Amino acid sequence: MSEQYFATGQCLCGNVKYTISSAPIRMGQCHCDHCRRLSGTGHSSNAFFVKDAVHIEGETSRYDSTADTGTIITRYFCPNCGSRLFGTSSANTNIISVTAGTLDDSSWFKPNAIVYNKRKPAWDFMDENVPVFEDMLPAQVQK
């Protein structure tokens, strides 16, 4: 009997693979300085899941940085090919973000919010129907 997953994905070289057992609790795009530098483009696109729903196979490396809110953001990447795969936050240790570009099929991905819009480059065009926040989501929206 084969197991069904909500989603699967991997890094560029295939050394790190993951399966996700349930739908995301939130999806978004971020234009903060860290996400722009991390992605090498105008934003980062992420789907957020309950951590227990994501099963990771393979070794990852990590990089910690401090957000403007004082929260520690840990980003995980493949030590072989450098693909950025996941992220966690010290503000909510039960949530993990998955970089949408590493999903095997991302056709279901639809951002619920665009954050740090004040940092968005003029050349990075976004869906005008998605709610926009100049900074991070307010706490009541994140839940």
Side-chain angles (χ1 to χ4, degrees), residues 114-135:
I114 297 170
V115 297
Y116 287 97
N117 193 62
K118 68 182 180 186
R119 302 267 191 222
K120 182 179 91 57
W123 48 262
D124 193 8
F125 297 97
M126 307 305 289
D127 184 341
E128 294 177 3
N129 297 312
V130 177
V132 173
F133 298 86
E134 291 304 300
D135 290 298

Side-chain angles (χ1 to χ4, degrees), residues 19 21-22 49-55 94-96:
T19 56
S21 60
S22 63
F49 298 89
V50 173
K51 196 180 241 183
D52 290 343
V54 181
H55 175 73
N94 295 322
I95 303 297
I96 187 169

Side-chain angles (χ1 to χ4, degrees), residues 23-136:
I25 56 174
R26 182 172 69 247
M27 294 173 276
Q29 293 174 304
C30 181
H31 294 288
C32 78
D33 293 343
H34 290 186
C35 284
R36 288 187 296 108
R37 287 188 176 100
L38 178 73
S39 70
T41 187
H43 68 276
S44 179
S45 298
N46 298 292
F48 297 83
F49 298 89
V50 173
K51 196 180 241 183
D52 290 343
V54 181
H55 175 73
I56 301 166
E57 295 179 21
E59 181 183 336
T60 60
S61 292
R62 62 186 269 177
Y63 178 77
D64 295 337
S65 62
T66 304
D68 61 355
T69 60
T71 300
I72 303 298
I73 305 296
T74 301
R75 293 174 176 92
Y76 297 87
F77 57 95
C78 173
N80 185 54
C81 67
S83 296
R84 193 281 194 178
L85 297 157
F86 315 108
T88 58
S89 167
S90 64
N92 190 339
T93 59
N94 295 322
I95 303 297
I96 187 169
S97 66
V98 174
T99 305
T102 66
L103 292 159
D104 292 331
D105 174 10
S106 60
S107 60
W108 52 266
F109 182 82
K110 174 72 174 151
N112 305 103
I114 297 170
V115 297
Y116 287 97
N117 193 62
K118 68 182 180 186
R119 302 267 191 222
K120 182 179 91 57
W123 48 262
D124 193 8
F125 297 97
M126 307 305 289
D127 184 341
E128 294 177 3
N129 297 312
V130 177
V132 173
F133 298 86
E134 291 304 300
D135 290 298
M136 180 47 80

